[in-house]
Amino acid sequence: MSSERYSRQELFTPIGKSGQEKIVSKHVLIIGAGALGTASAEALVRAGVGTVTIIDRDYVEWSNLQRQQLYTEENAERRTPKAVAAKNRLQEVNSSVNIHAHVMDGNIEELESLITQGVDVIIDATDNFDTRLIINDLAQKHQVPWVYGACVGSYGISYTILPGETPCLSCLLDTVPMGGMTCDTVGIISPAVQMVVSYQVTEVLKLLVEDKASLRKKLVSFDLWKNQHTMIAVDKVKKADCPSCGEHATYPFLAYENQTKTAVLCGRNTVQIRPAEGMKRSLDTIAESLRPHGKLEQNPYLVSLTMDEKRLVVFQDGRAFIHGTNDISEAKTIYYRYLG
């Protein structure tokens, strides 16, 4: 590897050569490989982070290409899982980084297994609060800092959460309005993505070089179209009795009963069904059983069956997407009809 690769980053005094050595030794977990996840991953891989782990449950679609910068038209045509497509591109960007890709939903057991593998920082690049609250409880339980981020339309928000020091996400939810809009309902412009990523990645770099004194202590929000920018001091909203980060934390979002087995995907007229227990299914066997029922497509990671206005997509881990409905009962009927 050329000694010049990180020279400009090392010239930046707060990082320097010693900071770069720390960056190369660290491990970042990125949960979600959509707009925020892909941009964050590329920035960190170019910065030389030693290990980057990416997880995502979805595959590339045409609507992703407008803002999810690691993906290509070929990825959309082949319905390549986002984690796989992201890893392939990132290895071309920097072959010296250890990149781990996981095509998975990211349930409690899966996330906890990854977080306990020496992760130094977690980046939130998800699209739903159920997963964020699980991340929050796991981060508190295992004392791993994480950087919250979200964007929709021209609006974005970010906050850095340090277990034991700052308010956690559960504390913030009672005080700070997070909004219920999604990019699937009101759209999104890519500059809003890049702005959130800039805030998230900068905070991550500060954590990786162990410069906690420079961390932004406030929650930042902005609306690029309306030319608005706000910094909110939230340190006083930390609760001593918070069930996620308080003195007697119980981590409520890690309880088994709070695990979602079915979920309507964010604004996509799609339901995900996840088996009660993890399993690995033979895609060839599934393809043979589904072939008589409609238009069948298959790649090494999933099988897709199109039936009139519905589409059933089955992954190796037994999960399935039922496109064309947001009715969980209807989705379950389709799932069990074709997959037993």
Side-chain angles (χ1 to χ4, degrees):
M1 181 177 65
S2 170
S3 60
E4 290 294 305
R5 178 155 204 156
Y6 307 116
S7 61
R8 301 304 185 270
Q9 192 161 275
E10 291 174 352
L11 285 172
F12 180 63
T13 302
I15 293 180
K17 287 187 177 295
S18 62
Q20 187 61 42
E21 290 174 358
K22 292 176 181 178
I23 289 172
V24 171
S25 70
K26 298 297 176 65
H27 183 177
V28 177
L29 171 61
I30 301 175
I31 302 176
L36 294 179
T38 54
S40 295
E42 181 168 351
L44 292 172
V45 165
R46 290 186 183 279
V49 174
T51 302
V52 175
T53 297
I54 303 169
I55 79 165
D56 194 277
R57 65 186 177 184
D58 211 345
Y59 53 87
V60 181
E61 298 185 281
W62 287 96
S63 62
N64 302 148
L65 302 183
Q66 167 252 352
R67 65 199 180 282
Q68 299 182 17
Q69 66 187 53
L70 293 178
Y71 306 135
T72 66
E73 292 183 353
E74 182 180 5
N75 296 146
E77 288 171 353
R78 295 188 175 186
R79 296 195 175 107
T80 307
K82 291 182 177 181
V84 174
K87 177 180 178 178
N88 292 342
R89 174 58 182 145
L90 291 170
Q91 291 285 208
E92 294 176 340
V93 169
N94 192 343
S95 60
S96 68
V97 175
N98 296 313
I99 301 170
H100 304 297
H102 299 276
V103 183
M104 60 171 62
D105 186 29
N107 62 30
I108 294 168
E109 292 80 8
E110 292 166 340
L111 288 176
E112 188 158 30
S113 175
L114 293 174
I115 287 171
T116 54
Q117 293 178 22
V119 168
D120 295 289
V121 186
I122 302 167
I123 290 184
D124 162 35
T126 64
D127 61 3
N128 66 89
F129 265 97
D130 288 340
T131 303
R132 287 187 177 112
L133 290 168
I134 291 172
I135 295 170
N136 185 65
D137 275 10
L138 286 172
Q140 298 299 323
K141 179 180 178 181
H142 296 287
Q143 296 292 291
V144 179
W146 70 287
V147 184
Y148 162 71
C151 52
V152 64
S154 56
Y155 172 83
I157 187 170
S158 182
Y159 183 63
T160 302
I161 297 173
L162 304 179
E165 299 180 38
T166 68
C168 76
L169 185 63
S170 293
C171 295
L172 294 178
L173 287 178
D174 290 337
T175 308
V176 180
M178 298 295 187
M181 299 181 294
T182 74
C183 60
D184 295 291
T185 56
V186 301
I188 188 168
I189 57 172
S190 61
V193 174
Q194 298 302 325
M195 181 67 80
V196 173
V197 168
S198 293
Y199 281 116
Q200 285 188 294
V201 171
T202 303
E203 292 289 278
V204 169
L205 289 174
K206 294 174 188 176
L207 288 165
L208 295 181
V209 302
E210 300 169 14
D211 184 9
K212 290 176 65 175
S214 295
L215 288 170
R216 187 185 66 248
K217 306 298 191 297
K218 298 180 180 180
L219 182 147
V220 61
S221 67
F222 61 84
D223 191 317
L224 294 176
W225 207 265
K226 296 179 180 178
N227 305 307
Q228 297 172 348
H229 188 279
T230 305
M231 302 280 277
I232 305 173
V234 294
D235 52 298
K236 292 183 180 179
V237 307
K238 184 172 175 58
K239 300 178 179 178
D241 61 349
C242 174
S244 293
C245 73
E247 296 173 2
H248 305 287
T250 58
Y251 313 119
F253 295 97
L254 304 186
Y256 176 80
E257 59 268 22
N258 286 338
Q259 297 187 53
T260 303
K261 296 297 187 298
T262 58
V264 179
L265 299 190
C266 179
R268 289 177 53 191
N269 198 32
T270 299
V271 173
Q272 174 183 263
I273 296 179
R274 190 178 75 224
E277 296 182 4
M279 63 177 72
K280 188 167 184 177
R281 305 191 64 162
S282 166
L283 294 182
D284 290 336
T285 301
I286 292 172
E288 283 305 308
S289 68
L290 295 180
R291 197 176 304 279
H293 302 291
K295 179 184 177 183
L296 190 79
E297 299 175 71
Q298 183 179 356
N299 66 31
Y301 311 99
L302 57 85
V303 172
S304 173
L305 175 71
T306 301
M307 312 154 288
D308 298 324
E309 297 179 356
K310 301 288 191 299
R311 182 156 53 88
L312 172 66
V313 178
V314 189
F315 296 84
Q316 281 184 317
D317 61 2
R319 288 181 302 115
F321 288 173
I322 294 85
H323 295 278
T325 182
N326 57 15
D327 184 309
I328 290 177
S329 296
E330 182 183 19
K332 284 183 175 179
T333 298
I334 294 171
Y335 178 89
Y336 290 113
R337 180 189 305 158
Y338 294 105
L339 298 174

